[in-house]
Amino acid sequence: MKQQGKQRVRGGSAVWAVAITSMAGFITALDNLIVTTALPSIRKDLGGGLEDLEWTVSAYTLTFAVLLMFGASLGDRFGRRRLFAIGLAIFTTASAAAALAPGMGELIAARAAQGVGAAIVTPLTLTLLSAAVSAERRGAALGVWGAASGIAVATGPLIGGTLTEHLSWQWIFWVNVPIGLALIPLALLRLDESHGPNPTLDLVGTALASGGLFGIVYALVRGNTDGWSSIPVLGGFIAGAALLVGFVLYELRAEHPMLPMRLFRHRSFSAVNAASLLMFLGMFGSIFLLSQYLQTVGGYSPMEAGVRMLPWTAMPMIAGPLAGALSDRIGGAPVVTVGMALNAVGLGLWAITVEPHVTYAHLLPALIVCGIGMGMFFAPSANLVMSTVRPEEQGIASGANNAIREVGGAIGVASLAAVFSAQGGYGSASQFVDGLIPALWVGAGAVALAAAVALLMRRQRKADGSAAGLAAGSAPADVIAA
């Protein structure tokens, strides 16, 4: 995001800024996937069902998504360093509350509060970092920041599985507490305060978007339990859709909109964001179920499941830089399209191969194909988003794309879990696979549709340098954000 406004120098160094913001980005990105390999242990300990597990994941991603751009606005108005510290305090306190949760209701509430804190912290890491580092060193600094978030995403399932197996699932949340407590005073002492050029807050837009997305996710989660034609479910869909329409209409007329609708007039911007939503819908929903499959059906321990997820989650760290270089040569659109197509193929391979007693070696090709596809998607897609807007709008465009991806992840968990529970369940290995296979086909279909939508993007050889630099730095964090 573009740094503007007056700044009061406190003697903080660029090194401190890189360290503080990178570590903050690490813990907020970590909580996207660290919970996945702990879900069976949480279900066993707290007695939750599939619906509770869905909300354990979606409560974080949904609040993170809808409040992401609002968090940046709060920093612009009240001070970025101040709000960064407040966001860290909320995230840290909520992490402790999640670890101490006596039941699923309390855990879900704590996860939602974590999402609020992360939504404030994450966008401010970029503005604070950009303000502290000189232009000639900013690319390297953003690379460190992006690498930290990328490592968090890649190792999230492994870290979650290791902590769950050797300590307890509560430690996937306790691990945030000492880091957060250390970062808060460091941020106040070592970072410089600044304000943004637009101090207005889009409260109405935030309320409309939050209510609309909650209504739709609620209806998807409750559909199989209450019945798809029941009043609560139909009411959730209708009210959610109406609020989202109201959000669009309000943003079109607002003087200072949270999400300027004019950005979507650019065909490539609309296409890459629609494709991103579908991509995360298919991939995040699939990861939610597959991490449970490895333990519930495969019989692996939480740590063993995390290790076996690495060919998927860690592959973007290898394929991403290669995809970025390739996109510089031939343009980002074809690379992103192929990446999404590979993801669809990988999920299809899973659906064809998975069965109650299949060996891991038979599943490995699907993991690798999905990992390569993810790596080909993230950096080029971020670059495409940046190249479709003016430099002064890159912060808004990046925030919008991140939020849309997180929304896709929340809807994906709810949608694929609804398919899973309609066709199978946790009763036996065969029953789990009966539900998993159609859910994977739905995920593959969503990602294949994303690849088709990506074909609408205009071919562009190379984005300008500033966009490319920011995209390269922010790409890994966009992973999940699934």
Side-chain angles (χ1 to χ4, degrees), residues 32-50:
N32 276 292
L33 287 181
I34 194 173
V35 73
T36 54
T37 43
L39 290 173
S41 297
I42 292 173
R43 182 169 65 89
K44 181 179 179 180
D45 192 14
L46 299 184
L50 178 63

Side-chain angles (χ1 to χ4, degrees), residues 366-459:
L367 285 167
I368 294 174
V369 171
C370 285
I372 294 173
M374 284 178 66
M376 294 182 69
F377 167 80
F378 287 116
S381 66
N383 218 340
L384 284 167
V385 169
M386 296 300 184
S387 67
T388 60
V389 299
R390 297 190 296 267
E392 64 269 19
E393 294 178 327
Q394 287 177 359
I396 295 175
S398 177
N401 185 249
N402 289 342
I404 288 170
R405 293 180 182 192
E406 294 286 342
V407 167
I411 295 175
V413 169
S415 301
L416 269 63
V419 175
F420 168 83
S421 61
Q423 302 294 323
Y426 292 104
S428 65
S430 297
Q431 190 179 9
F432 193 100
V433 171
D434 288 342
L436 177 61
I437 291 175
L440 287 175
W441 280 121
V442 171
V447 180
L449 181 57
V453 171
L455 293 174
L456 299 175
M457 291 186 289
R458 295 170 181 167
R459 295 196 60 171

Side-chain angles (χ1 to χ4, degrees), residues 128-201:
L128 288 167
L129 181 59
S130 296
V133 180
S134 61
E136 60 271 17
R137 297 182 179 179
R138 195 167 297 151
L142 288 169
V144 174
W145 175 89
S149 299
I151 291 170
V153 171
T155 60
L158 176 59
I159 293 174
T162 302
L163 292 173
T164 300
E165 182 174 340
H166 294 289
L167 296 172
S168 68
W169 65 262
Q170 286 88 350
W171 278 93
I172 67 174
F173 302 115
W174 280 126
V175 71
N176 296 325
V177 175
I179 299 175
L181 290 177
L183 288 178
I184 293 170
L186 285 175
L188 293 173
L189 292 172
R190 296 293 181 176
L191 297 179
D192 297 330
E193 185 61 284
S194 64
H195 295 77
N198 182 17
T200 59
L201 299 176

Side-chain angles (χ1 to χ4, degrees), residues 136-399:
E136 60 271 17
R137 297 182 179 179
R138 195 167 297 151
L142 288 169
V144 174
W145 175 89
S149 299
I151 291 170
V153 171
T155 60
L158 176 59
I159 293 174
T162 302
L163 292 173
T164 300
E165 182 174 340
H166 294 289
L167 296 172
S168 68
W169 65 262
Q170 286 88 350
W171 278 93
I172 67 174
F173 302 115
W174 280 126
V175 71
N176 296 325
V177 175
I179 299 175
L181 290 177
L183 288 178
I184 293 170
L186 285 175
L188 293 173
L189 292 172
R190 296 293 181 176
L191 297 179
D192 297 330
E193 185 61 284
S194 64
H195 295 77
N198 182 17
T200 59
L201 299 176
D202 188 359
L203 297 174
V204 175
T206 301
L208 289 171
S210 302
L213 291 170
F214 176 81
I216 290 174
V217 173
Y218 172 85
L220 288 169
V221 170
R222 297 293 302 176
N224 285 315
T225 302
D226 294 344
W228 294 99
S229 60
S230 65
I231 292 177
V233 172
L234 287 178
F237 280 127
I238 294 171
L243 288 171
L244 289 179
V245 170
F247 168 74
V248 173
L249 294 175
Y250 178 80
E251 295 295 286
L252 285 169
R253 302 178 63 180
E255 184 177 356
H256 299 289
M258 178 176 67
L259 179 58
M261 291 296 151
R262 68 178 182 276
L263 298 179
F264 292 92
R265 295 173 185 167
H266 195 293
R267 188 180 74 187
S268 293
F269 183 85
S270 296
V272 71
N273 278 288
S276 296
L277 186 144
L278 290 166
M279 166 78 172
F280 270 65
L281 190 157
M283 297 302 291
F284 205 70
S286 298
I287 289 175
F288 170 76
L289 293 172
L290 289 172
S291 61
Q292 297 180 69
Y293 165 82
L294 290 173
Q295 296 178 67
T296 303
V297 179
Y300 297 108
S301 69
M303 186 178 74
E304 290 171 339
V307 170
R308 282 158 178 79
M309 292 287 286
L310 283 176
W312 187 350
T313 58
M315 186 61 71
M317 300 293 292
I318 300 172
L322 298 176
L326 182 62
S327 68
D328 283 342
R329 294 177 62 88
I330 66 173
V335 178
V336 166
T337 303
V338 172
M340 290 179 176
L342 285 175
N343 275 292
V345 170
L347 291 179
L349 286 175
W350 264 94
I352 292 171
T353 308
V354 70
E355 59 183 48
H357 304 294
V358 70
T359 64
Y360 176 74
H362 286 87
L363 301 175
L364 186 58
L367 285 167
I368 294 174
V369 171
C370 285
I372 294 173
M374 284 178 66
M376 294 182 69
F377 167 80
F378 287 116
S381 66
N383 218 340
L384 284 167
V385 169
M386 296 300 184
S387 67
T388 60
V389 299
R390 297 190 296 267
E392 64 269 19
E393 294 178 327
Q394 287 177 359
I396 295 175
S398 177

